[in-house]
Amino acid sequence: SLYDDSIKHYKLAMQVNPKDPLVQNYIYNIAVMSEALGRNQEAFRYYTDYLENSKTRSEKKEIHYSLAMLAKKLNRRTVAIE
């Protein structure tokens, strides 16, 4: 699928140049596409990675919401509550 191809390209780009200023965007995009593909575990991991380097309050709020929704799908109730 297009999402699968995009994820592969983003991961390759991060491996080739981990210091690329767009890496944070790649991580977010991988999270969103993984979630759309139903790969909730992978999406959860990438959203968590993205959150670690988020700078703005609105970014963090949005990612916390996404993580809570995924936690619910993955039956991780304690994470969803936090």
Side-chain angles (χ1 to χ4, degrees), residues 11-75:
K11 287 180 178 180
L12 179 62
M14 290 188 309
Q15 285 179 336
V16 170
N17 189 4
K19 302 242 187 241
D20 185 331
L22 294 175
V23 164
Q24 186 72 349
N25 293 342
Y26 301 159
I27 291 169
Y28 178 79
N29 290 338
I30 292 170
V32 170
M33 287 184 277
S34 296
E35 185 177 6
L37 290 169
R39 298 179 190 153
N40 297 330
Q41 196 73 33
E42 182 177 4
F44 192 91
R45 188 176 81 244
Y46 279 97
Y47 278 129
T48 302
D49 290 348
Y50 182 83
L51 183 62
E52 289 176 8
N53 295 304
S54 294
K55 297 190 180 6
T56 68
R57 187 178 190 152
S58 63
E59 275 182 353
K60 291 178 182 182
K61 187 176 179 181
E62 179 184 338
I63 300 307
H64 277 293
Y65 178 80
S66 296
L67 284 169
M69 293 296 100
L70 280 172
K72 187 176 178 183
K73 290 178 188 176
L74 295 167
N75 290 319

